[in-house]
Amino acid sequence: MADIIDLPYQTAQYRADKRRYLLDKILRFFIQHVLLIIFGIIFMLPFLWMVSSSLKQDTEIFDLPVSLIPASFDFGNYIEALDAIDFWRYTVNSLFYTTVATIGAVISNTFIAYGFARIKWPGRNIVFFLVLATMMLPFQVRMIPLFILFSKIGWLNTFLPLIIPPFLGNAFYIFLMRQFMMTIPSELDDAARIDGCTELGIFWRIVVPLMKPAIITIAIFEMVYAWNDFLGPLIYMRDASNYTLSIGLQLYFTQHGAEWALLMAAATMFTLPMIIIFFFAQRTFIEGISLTGIKG
């Protein structure tokens, strides 16, 4: 009888708690998204300023008060920027360097990571530790020895010093791929071996299809690095016909430093391809990053 009498009170208390929980959830959701929007706008401001300046006249860029919306949209800046430097040749060079380096990075690091993650052999962990230790050596330390090496074998003023090293592995990429591979159940490998599948068959038919997020993550990392690489082409290239867009932008700045609107237009065209690629691949990219540390 007492339980029946207390039922309305319990129901009212439950409803009140439920309303309070929903209000707290909505408030947290609102605060989180407001903060994300604010930080997103802050991080986007440099890009928005670059795009806005590319559509202005030089005198309007430095007007006060500052305005992100141009008084008149001058799309002619993009046409003039294309004519100011050999933009299309530099674009083709950058695309060639980025494409080949990305293919090399994906192929080499996937194979190497498979050896560290799925195949048991003596000294595996020690060798993996030594591979990770190479991450402590920045490019500036290896720059002179590599230049001497490539000079001795006649690779200077070619793309070989830029596109061959990605085929030899990268410690950071190997680490990401290995960590992702270790999240794949080893029982799948055992079942495939029982069915007579070779090690290469296990790699190609089982591991690679499950590695799509990590492979896309590595590809995006390498594409962004190769596309933005300035120091590598600057060191190894001597002929202007082999310059990439990063070198072309610096050359343009040297020759037309005062023409800020044209420089911003050229920089916008240089930046847009990577933004578009990341926009379409961001879901898989984030998935590949988030799953690399689940199992170590």
Side-chain angles (χ1 to χ4, degrees), residues 130-198:
L130 294 176
V131 171
L132 292 183
T134 61
M135 295 174 61
M136 295 185 290
L137 296 175
F139 178 73
Q140 290 78 5
V141 174
R142 300 176 281 119
M143 182 170 57
I144 296 178
L146 287 175
F147 180 85
I148 296 174
L149 172 63
F150 294 141
S151 176
K152 293 292 184 181
I153 60 180
W155 283 8
L156 294 185
N157 201 31
T158 69
F159 283 96
L160 293 177
L162 302 176
I163 63 177
I164 295 301
F167 283 88
L168 304 178
N170 179 286
F172 177 64
Y173 298 161
I174 293 171
F175 170 75
L176 289 180
M177 300 288 277
R178 173 187 177 271
Q179 295 302 105
F180 193 98
M181 284 185 187
M182 294 185 70
T183 64
I184 301 174
S186 59
E187 290 79 6
L188 297 176
D189 299 3
D190 299 335
R193 291 190 182 96
I194 293 174
D195 292 338
C197 191
T198 62

Side-chain angles (χ1 to χ4, degrees), residues 34-63:
V34 168
L35 291 176
L36 289 174
I37 291 172
I38 292 174
F39 283 109
I41 293 174
I42 292 174
F43 281 103
M44 286 181 61
L45 275 177
F47 177 74
L48 295 176
W49 173 254
M50 179 178 66
V51 175
S52 173
S53 299
S54 69
L55 299 172
K56 296 178 180 179
Q57 298 293 329
D58 285 334
T59 55
E60 187 183 352
I61 294 177
F62 300 100
D63 285 347

Side-chain angles (χ1 to χ4, degrees), residues 83-123:
D83 296 335
I85 59 175
D86 198 353
F87 185 86
W88 298 115
R89 177 183 290 275
Y90 298 157
T91 301
V92 170
N93 292 339
S94 292
L95 287 174
F96 173 75
Y97 170 27
T98 302
T99 302
V100 178
T102 301
I103 294 173
V106 169
I107 294 175
S108 63
N109 292 289
T110 305
F111 271 104
I112 297 171
Y114 181 82
F116 283 121
R118 315 297 288 188
I119 302 176
K120 296 181 180 180
W121 44 278

